[in-house]
Amino acid sequence: MERKPDIQYVGQFYVYGSEARQLEEQSEQKKRKIRLPMLRAEKLYRIQVDPVAICAILTAVVMLVVMVLGTIRMQQAWQQFGVVQEYRDQLKQTNIQLTTQYRESINLESIRQAALAMGMVEMDQVETRYITVKIPQREPDPTWWENFRWFWQGLFGDLPE
């Protein structure tokens, strides 16, 4: 194989400032062009709102508030129920006490003597009669077919059955 020649760079012979003047002038002329500043587009921030989602969230919040209020009212109702039950139990006890006190204070024999003195008689001495009353039954409402026949009979006279 052949050996490649050594590469020699131009940079070793280059001296700064020896460039062609025309190139500089051309680049200066190019730089002299007036350029207006570029307007940057402003960043727009958009917040998109989904009305269905907002309605759903509001509905959920309202339902949560109603549920909390319902729970509070239910607790108050249970407390009132307990108070009313205690009051009812107290009334039952008072009623039992008053009933026993009343029954102990009644003298049935004195009442029977007073009734006999007024002319009343005892129950086993009285003749008993039973009366039976029959309540009249209401006539049933006419059916649809009977109403239909009645209507046509009113228009055309008697119809054969």
Side-chain angles (χ1 to χ4, degrees):
M1 287 205 186
E2 270 188 47
R3 187 173 165 207
K4 290 186 179 179
D6 291 336
I7 299 174
Q8 296 178 354
Y9 293 99
V10 176
Q12 71 189 35
F13 302 108
Y14 179 75
V15 177
Y16 289 101
S18 63
E19 300 97 18
R21 297 270 181 210
Q22 293 176 353
L23 292 176
E24 285 182 20
E25 290 175 8
Q26 286 178 359
S27 64
E28 287 179 15
Q29 287 177 357
K30 286 183 184 178
K31 287 182 182 176
R32 287 184 189 162
K33 287 185 181 178
I34 298 175
R35 290 190 180 178
L36 295 176
M38 298 287 289
L39 293 177
R40 292 185 185 174
E42 293 181 17
K43 290 184 180 179
L44 295 177
Y45 294 102
R46 286 189 182 177
I47 299 175
Q48 295 183 352
V49 179
D50 187 8
V52 175
I54 289 178
C55 289
I57 291 170
L58 289 177
T59 303
V61 168
V62 168
M63 290 174 71
L64 179 67
V65 169
V66 168
M67 188 172 65
V68 168
L69 290 177
T71 304
I72 292 170
R73 284 188 180 179
M74 184 178 279
Q75 287 176 349
Q76 291 174 351
W78 276 109
Q79 289 173 354
Q80 289 177 353
F81 178 72
V83 169
V84 169
Q85 259 188 333
E86 291 176 11
Y87 182 66
R88 183 200 61 187
D89 293 340
Q90 182 184 8
L91 285 178
K92 280 185 178 180
Q93 289 295 334
T94 307
N95 188 23
I96 290 171
Q97 290 174 357
L98 290 176
T99 303
T100 55
Q101 181 182 1
Y102 172 73
R103 290 189 183 196
E104 290 173 357
S105 66
I106 293 177
N107 187 358
L108 294 177
E109 188 58 35
S110 65
I111 293 174
R112 186 168 117 13
Q113 293 297 331
L116 288 175
M118 286 186 211
M120 294 185 182
V121 292
E122 292 188 22
M123 191 171 173
D124 54 354
Q125 296 175 359
V126 179
E127 181 181 329
T128 306
R129 294 186 186 179
Y130 293 101
I131 299 173
T132 306
V133 178
K134 292 185 178 180
I135 301 173
Q137 295 294 324
R138 182 177 166 202
E139 291 183 15
D141 291 335
T143 62
W144 177 84
W145 178 251
E146 291 172 347
N147 284 337
F148 181 75
R149 289 199 56 186
W150 171 80
F151 176 74
W152 287 103
Q153 283 177 352
L155 285 179
F156 300 114
D158 289 333
L159 293 175
E161 301 213 13

